[in-house]
Amino acid sequence: LAKQSGQQECSALAYDDRDHSLWLTQWGDTNSSFYLYHYDLNGQYLGKRKIPPLKWIQGLTVYKNDFYFACDDGDANKDQPDHIYKLSKAGQVKTIHLLDDVYDQGEVEGLSIAHQNLYVLYNRGAKVVDGKVLGLEKGYDHQIHEVYAYKLK
C-alpha cells in the first residue's frame, strides 16, 4: 500500500476493466475507511476517491460503471443483517440487498457479479466481536462458508 494514500490495510479489492486498474478499500469506520484507493496493475498509487460513509466494507466489485460493496454492518449477535450497497457514478448510494434471507445471521465476506447475478460470500457459526472470532455460536461445531446468489435488478 502506498504510504501517501493513508491506507492502513486492505479489506476488499476490485479489478476495473474500464481502465485496467485496481480499487481497494479499508475495513472499519474511521476516516481512512471512507475512501476507495486507486492503483494501477503495477501497484502504482493513482489517488483516492471519497465515498459516503459505508462501514466495515468486506467486499467490492465494479460493474457497469458502478461500485458494489458488501458491508459487515449488521450485528449477528443481535440478529441484525449485513447490507449490499451500490455506489453510482454520480455518487449516490443505494441499498440493493439486505441480507435478511440468509440461513442464519453471520458475517458477509465478499461479493462478485457475473451473468447478471450477484454472488455473496457469507460465513456463519462464529461468534465475532469487533472483527475478532471469539469462539462458535451455540449449535455450531465449526464455521460454515456459503455463497448466496441473487439476480441483479
Side-chain angles (χ1 to χ4, degrees):
L1 303 174
K3 192 171 189 168
Q4 71 267 31
S5 73
Q7 185 178 9
Q8 304 292 311
E9 56 91 42
C10 180
S11 65
L13 149 79
Y15 174 73
D16 190 338
D17 61 6
R18 297 171 299 180
D19 65 355
H20 307 288
S21 66
L22 299 172
W23 292 93
L24 285 68
T25 62
Q26 179 167 313
W27 189 80
D29 66 352
T30 62
N31 187 48
S32 58
S33 60
F34 303 140
Y35 288 93
L36 285 170
Y37 298 89
H38 199 195
Y39 291 83
D40 70 16
L41 296 180
N42 295 315
Q44 182 69 38
Y45 176 64
L46 301 174
K48 60 186 176 183
R49 175 181 172 179
K50 182 105 169 120
I51 59 173
L54 298 173
K55 293 183 179 182
W56 316 113
I57 297 169
Q58 288 288 90
L60 173 67
T61 194
V62 180
Y63 182 71
K64 293 189 176 178
N65 295 322
D66 297 318
F67 292 97
Y68 290 77
F69 299 87
C71 291
D72 186 16
D73 55 359
D75 186 338
N77 300 318
K78 296 177 182 174
D79 203 32
Q80 297 171 347
D82 296 329
H83 295 78
I84 306 297
Y85 299 100
K86 175 179 153 182
L87 174 64
S88 71
K89 188 168 69 172
Q92 297 170 321
V93 174
K94 177 181 174 185
T95 300
I96 64 161
H97 196 79
L98 176 65
L99 294 166
D100 59 355
D101 57 351
V102 296
Y103 181 79
D104 196 8
Q105 287 304 317
E107 309 291 326
V108 67
E109 296 296 336
L111 78 164
S112 185
I113 296 175
H115 310 291
Q116 297 293 315
N117 290 307
L118 170 68
Y119 297 96
V120 178
L121 175 61
Y122 203 80
N123 295 339
R124 61 183 168 91
K127 186 174 198 81
V128 179
V129 177
D130 294 330
K132 295 177 183 72
V133 176
L134 302 178
L136 296 172
E137 294 287 352
K138 185 176 181 181
Y140 289 90
D141 61 4
H142 66 282
Q143 190 173 35
I144 297 172
H145 313 283
E146 302 169 308
V147 175
Y148 288 85
Y150 305 97
K151 274 287 189 206
L152 278 180
K153 298 172 185 168

